[in-house]
Amino acid sequence: MRILLTGGAGDLGVLLSEALSKRGDEPAVIDLAPPHHSVKSYFPASILNLGAVSASVEDADCIVHIAAWHGIHESKQTKTAGDFHDLNVTGTFNMLDAAAIEGVKKFIFISSTSISDRYGIYGHTKILGEEMARAFAHRHDMDVIILRPRAFIPSWNTSVYTNFAEWAAWFSRGAVHITDVMQSVLCAIDYLKDNSGFSPKAPAFVVDGAYEFTKDDLDNWDKDGPGTTFEKYYPGVSELFRKHGLDPARKPKVLDMDETRQVLGYAPQYSLKNMIEELKRYDAGTLKLGRDAI
Ligand SMILES: NC(=O)c1ccc[n+]([C@@H]2O[C@H](COP(=O)([O-])OP(=O)(O)OC[C@H]3O[C@@H](n4cnc5c(N)ncnc54)[C@H](O)[C@@H]3O)[C@@H](O)[C@H]2O)c1
């Protein structure tokens, strides 16, 4: 399938376009920044440029709309409310409208669990994006899937994390690894390949990571004392955790994503177990940082 990725040169887009190429799909990218690898077509443009948007969707079978300012741009105040509205609302409208005009029926909207922050700048723009996606699905009989990943900025994004331990501290609180988010998008693309005219229109799916802890562990967290649930699964690791400023007694926040598993067949792989293996290598000075490490 010819799959257009908006924001395809960003963290998620890079992984996704590599994976799509590998499995025989044809990724195209519209992004202000050039992709880091070869793609079928690259449109060096903003999704606010209507001419470029229209050219980019022309040959697409499916659009994965990724480009957006996100949580980090709000918390660091590097983008204004106007910037957010332009890219996340107008940009999303432009992609949906161009898809409707060109007859592209398959559309994946990368939303966020931040929709829970409905009065926040970012959360609000994602709510508006989802609303538009639903309206276009109904009005133009488009097959739309909304994915709501929780935060997934990777450890190798040095503009956010200065070292691996900082990222690990964040991940240990409950999180999804970017490679799993990428898998969830592939699952959504496959779902759209195999299904059309599904109901409800524009379903939304939460995307979380993998966990060793059971529901019972989470419900009765540390009932035998601080750090005991962690030690049960990762014996002998508490000291390494503390050494790097992580807290083994901290209960991770785990999200319900039964539907994502059942409907899309999503099966996240990266868990605390994987993170601990990487943390051990970081501690030993042998961790290879970057996308190549995974
Ligand atoms: N990163 C997270 O933690 C997280 C969590 C939940 C949801 N999301 C969602 O995932 C998506 C992006 O994730 P990411 O981490 O890959 O982001 P990213 O910031 O790494 O990439 C965004 C890409 O969009 C491009 N872009 C910016 N303005 C553009 C424009 N006007 N036209 C075309 N391209 C433009 C940028 O050049 C960049 O390559 C967003 O929709 C975001 O809301 C992210």
Side-chain angles (χ1 to χ4, degrees):
M1 256 204 315
R2 289 162 301 186
I3 299 168
L4 175 67
L5 310 177
T6 73
D11 285 335
L12 178 59
V14 167
L15 287 185
L16 197 51
S17 45
E18 279 176 351
L20 287 169
S21 298
K22 243 183 231 162
R23 68 180 211 166
D25 283 311
E26 293 177 352
V29 166
I30 178 167
D31 197 312
L32 294 163
H36 302 241
H37 47 277
S38 76
V39 287
K40 174 88 176 148
S41 331
Y42 167 49
F43 301 87
S46 168
I47 60 166
L48 299 176
N49 173 337
L50 293 180
V53 165
S54 153
S56 71
V57 301
E58 227 167 53
D59 279 340
D61 299 310
C62 175
I63 296 170
V64 182
H65 177 38
I66 305 170
W69 303 128
H70 50 91
I72 199 77
H73 305 111
E74 181 174 1
S75 58
K76 291 196 170 174
Q77 298 186 335
T78 50
K79 297 292 164 193
T80 65
D83 294 331
F84 270 91
H85 191 88
D86 284 347
L87 184 56
N88 296 15
V89 182
T90 307
T92 299
F93 171 82
N94 290 348
M95 294 315 304
L96 286 161
D97 197 41
I101 291 168
E102 293 294 335
V104 182
K105 292 286 182 196
K106 301 181 198 313
F107 196 101
I108 296 170
F109 174 54
I110 308 297
S111 182
S112 167
T113 49
S114 294
I115 54 158
S116 60
D117 183 21
R118 62 177 304 113
Y119 300 125
I121 294 173
Y122 173 51
H124 185 229
T125 60
K126 284 293 181 187
I127 288 176
L128 295 176
E130 289 197 6
E131 271 302 311
M132 287 190 284
R134 269 187 287 274
F136 272 83
H138 281 272
R139 202 186 310 143
H140 299 281
D141 205 20
M142 284 163 63
D143 294 319
V144 174
I145 288 183
I146 296 168
L147 294 176
R148 292 177 184 156
R150 67 192 298 176
F152 61 78
I153 297 173
S155 56
W156 53 85
N157 186 327
T158 49
S159 66
V160 178
Y161 299 109
T162 51
N163 58 50
F164 182 81
E166 213 177 273
W167 177 84
W170 162 79
F171 187 83
S172 67
R173 299 201 290 263
V176 60
H177 195 273
I178 191 167
T179 51
D180 282 326
V181 179
M182 187 261 288
Q183 290 299 339
S184 76
V185 183
L186 296 180
C187 290
I189 292 171
D190 289 342
Y191 187 85
L192 290 177
K193 272 183 189 167
D194 297 341
N195 298 276
S196 61
F198 47 83
S199 175
K201 284 201 166 289
F205 300 99
V206 170
V207 179
D208 196 0
Y211 298 91
E212 277 79 36
F213 303 119
T214 62
K215 185 175 180 310
D216 188 53
D217 293 322
L218 295 166
D219 289 347
N220 299 291
W221 187 257
D222 277 0
K223 68 175 176 3
D224 297 323
T228 51
T229 309
F230 181 87
E231 268 295 317
K232 181 174 134 191
Y233 285 88
Y234 318 107
V237 177
S238 296
E239 203 182 312
L240 177 73
F241 248 46
R242 289 193 199 94
K243 177 179 170 189
H244 290 287
L246 285 74
D247 180 5
R250 183 165 183 145
K251 180 181 168 181
K253 188 175 174 201
V254 178
L255 306 181
D256 174 6
M257 51 164 197
D258 287 352
E259 253 194 286
T260 320
R261 290 178 190 275
Q262 281 159 18
V263 179
L264 297 184
Y266 169 62
Q269 300 297 312
Y270 190 101
S271 65
L272 216 45
K273 196 170 133 221
N274 303 80
M275 184 274 265
I276 288 166
E277 286 314 308
E278 290 200 290
L279 188 63
K280 285 179 181 166
R281 296 210 296 278
Y282 172 74
D283 187 59
T286 58
L287 181 68
K288 205 171 147 199
L289 275 179
R291 292 184 300 114
D292 297 344
I294 46 170

